[in-house]
Amino acid sequence: EPPAPVTPEPKATVKPRAARQPTPQESYAAELRLLHQAQVAYASQDFSAALVLVAEHARQFPHGRLAEEREALRVRSLAGSGRTEDARRATAAFASRFPRSVLLPRLQETVGP
């Protein structure tokens, strides 16, 4: 006798849960970790890695609490990698976005006239 046909059991449907928004403290901690990695790369004179991490920070946290520090690190990393014109443009953008920043004079010093 042929075996009885197997009837598949109905699959349980699982509703995807909405992703939980991180708390402000969790978001800040994630922001800080990423920027710290970029700072370590910069301190090791791995300017390419620092720029990649800065770009990732900008993607994940475009209006993050550490945006000013991120953009300053972008300028310093560009200058460190010898991309003087890019560093000057980034400094001008920084000055436009953060005109009262205590970091601005140092960045302007870094890129020169």
Side-chain angles (χ1 to χ4, degrees):
E1 261 181 54
V6 178
T7 306
E9 293 184 27
K11 293 181 180 177
T13 56
V14 178
K15 291 182 183 178
R17 278 195 285 166
R20 179 181 71 83
Q21 289 287 38
T23 67
Q25 293 82 7
E26 290 169 336
S27 181
Y28 180 72
E31 220 186 315
L32 189 57
R33 274 191 304 276
L34 189 53
L35 202 56
H36 177 72
Q37 291 173 344
Q39 186 69 26
V40 167
Y42 173 83
S44 301
Q45 297 187 347
D46 189 350
F47 304 118
S48 295
L51 287 166
V52 167
L53 291 162
V54 162
E56 180 60 21
H57 186 280
R59 187 186 70 74
Q60 287 185 30
F61 308 101
H63 305 289
R65 290 164 43 185
L66 298 173
E68 183 176 345
E69 291 79 2
R70 174 192 68 225
E71 295 307 317
L73 185 54
R74 179 190 315 277
V75 170
R76 294 188 350 245
S77 296
L78 287 166
S81 66
R83 295 170 57 184
T84 308
E85 285 306 311
D86 290 336
R88 285 189 180 121
R89 282 191 292 276
T91 301
F94 183 95
S96 175
R97 187 169 176 192
F98 308 105
R100 291 183 172 79
S101 174
V102 299
L103 304 173
L104 184 57
R106 178 65 188 251
L107 296 177
Q108 290 170 328
E109 224 176 79
T110 298
V111 299

